[in-house]
């Protein structure tokens, strides 16, 4: 296992459609984070899991967004009824525990038409 | 609330020049961590360094060095003898630890272009 992987790398969808992204963390990393990055900005925190438990959600995460991490392994991020404002790069990161560096995946670039 | 400011939006220097990227942070915590990440054109964030709030020693790693000053709430990053491969967007980030989630708060980044 060489790093965090994300699938798909690119997604183009029409407004109103649902999309789902997947993140596979580095093996044995118990913490997993989702961030969103828009053009010209730094990544913004969305949500975080420790094992299978979702422990915090940002106010940026509206009720159209849902994330899961069944069995504490891979995670999915679903966006329902996509809007043009959801267009962004969605980044996943994992880490082993407290205050270790977070390792980032390549991201999923979402374009909502 | 925590905040990271990277006032330099874009910097261009000629290859082999030294360049310093500024980072100023705000936090009410006494225990926190600071990070620098590099985002090359490929897009994947690459970890460069982590420092905790109790360690103000400057650090050097090859051509990279970091200057942490709590008195001015700054964590600046210097690249010596810059190379074209250093061209990227660089992000400074802050993690507070009191809530136990260690989420990162990023600055807006500095786009560094090294001119051959």
């Amino acid at each position: 296992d060489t790093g965090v992987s994300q699938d798909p790398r690119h997604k183009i969808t029409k407004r109103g459609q649902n999309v789902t992204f997947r993140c596979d963390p580095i093996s044995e990393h118990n913490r997993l984070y989702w961030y969103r990055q828009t053009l010209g900005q730094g990544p913004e925190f969305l949500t975080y899991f420790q094992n299978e438990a979702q422990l915090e959600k940002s106010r940026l995460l509206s009720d159209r967004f849902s994330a899961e991490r069944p069995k504490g392994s891979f995670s999915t991020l679903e966006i329902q009824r996509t809007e043009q404002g959801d267009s962004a790069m969605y980044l996943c990161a994992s880490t082993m525990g407290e205050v270790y560096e977070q390792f980032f995946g390549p991201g999923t670039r979402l374009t909502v038409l | 609330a925590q905040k990271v400011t990277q006032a330099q939006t874009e910097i261009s220097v000629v290859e082999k020049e030294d360049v310093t990227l500024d980072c100023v942070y705000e936090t009410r915590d006494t225990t926190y961590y600071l990070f620098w990440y590099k985002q090359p054109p490929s897009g994947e964030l690459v970890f460069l360094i982590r420092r905790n709030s109790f360690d103000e020693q400057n650090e050097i790693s090859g051509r990279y060095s970091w200057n942490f000053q709590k008195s001015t709430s700054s964590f600046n990053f210097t690249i010596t003898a810059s190379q074209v491969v250093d061209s990227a967007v660089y992000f400074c980030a802050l993690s507070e630890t009191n809530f136990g989630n260690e989420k990162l708060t990023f600055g807006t980044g500095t786009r560094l272009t090294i001119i051959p």
Side-chain angles (χ1 to χ4, degrees):
Chain A
D1 191 338
T2 58
V4 178
S5 61
Q6 293 187 245
D7 184 69
R9 295 290 305 277
H10 303 274
K11 180 70 177 179
I12 300 174
T13 190
K14 293 182 179 179
R15 189 175 51 188
Q17 298 295 306
N18 298 343
V19 295
T20 300
F21 310 141
R22 176 180 171 125
C23 170
D24 287 88
I26 294 172
S27 297
E28 300 179 355
H29 278 194
N30 62 339
R31 295 189 175 201
L32 186 148
Y33 300 78
W34 285 98
Y35 294 83
R36 181 174 69 186
Q37 184 178 20
T38 54
L39 200 62
Q41 299 298 313
E44 295 175 294
F45 169 78
L46 293 179
T47 189
Y48 137 81
F49 291 84
Q50 180 161 307
N51 300 313
E52 67 276 8
Q54 186 175 19
L55 297 185
E56 184 175 347
K57 292 167 54 174
S58 163
R59 65 180 185 278
L60 294 175
L61 216 63
S62 75
D63 55 8
R64 296 185 297 105
F65 288 71
S66 62
E68 295 182 341
R69 193 184 182 197
K71 302 179 183 178
S73 56
F74 71 92
S75 176
T76 58
L77 178 67
E78 180 183 15
I79 309 174
Q80 296 183 327
R81 306 181 302 281
T82 52
E83 302 173 355
Q84 288 186 327
D86 297 331
S87 295
M89 177 77 85
Y90 290 84
L91 297 167
C92 176
S94 70
T95 188
M96 285 189 63
E98 293 186 8
V99 300
Y100 288 95
E101 56 269 29
Q102 295 181 19
F103 292 87
F104 283 81
T108 294
R109 182 169 295 283
L110 173 67
T111 302
V112 181
L113 302 176
Chain B
Q2 52 190 357
K3 183 180 179 181
V4 175
T5 301
Q6 295 180 255
Q8 303 153 308
T9 305
E10 295 190 26
I11 299 175
S12 294
V13 300
V14 176
E15 194 174 18
K16 298 183 182 177
E17 288 185 351
D18 300 347
V19 58
T20 295
L21 309 182
D22 297 335
C23 172
V24 174
Y25 62 92
E26 296 176 28
T27 178
R28 288 176 290 187
D29 271 12
T30 55
T31 303
Y32 52 89
Y33 284 75
L34 295 162
F35 300 77
W36 276 94
Y37 280 86
K38 174 182 180 180
Q39 190 171 43
S42 61
E44 192 159 339
L45 283 161
V46 177
F47 166 80
L48 295 178
I49 190 172
R50 178 190 78 230
R51 299 307 298 273
N52 73 53
S53 52
F54 297 110
D55 183 0
E56 288 194 70
Q57 281 191 335
N58 291 334
E59 181 157 340
I60 298 174
S61 175
R63 296 184 296 107
Y64 296 170
S65 62
W66 291 269
N67 184 325
F68 176 29
Q69 292 193 341
K70 287 181 73 171
S71 61
T72 56
S73 298
S74 65
F75 186 44
N76 297 337
F77 173 32
T78 297
I79 302 175
T80 303
S82 59
Q83 300 177 2
V84 172
V85 293
D86 296 327
S87 295
V89 180
Y90 290 86
F91 291 97
C92 180
L94 167 69
S95 176
E96 294 177 338
T97 62
N98 57 327
F99 297 113
N101 62 18
E102 289 77 49
K103 64 184 178 186
L104 295 173
T105 297
F106 286 85
T108 51
T110 297
R111 180 177 299 279
L112 176 63
T113 301
I114 308 301
I115 303 167

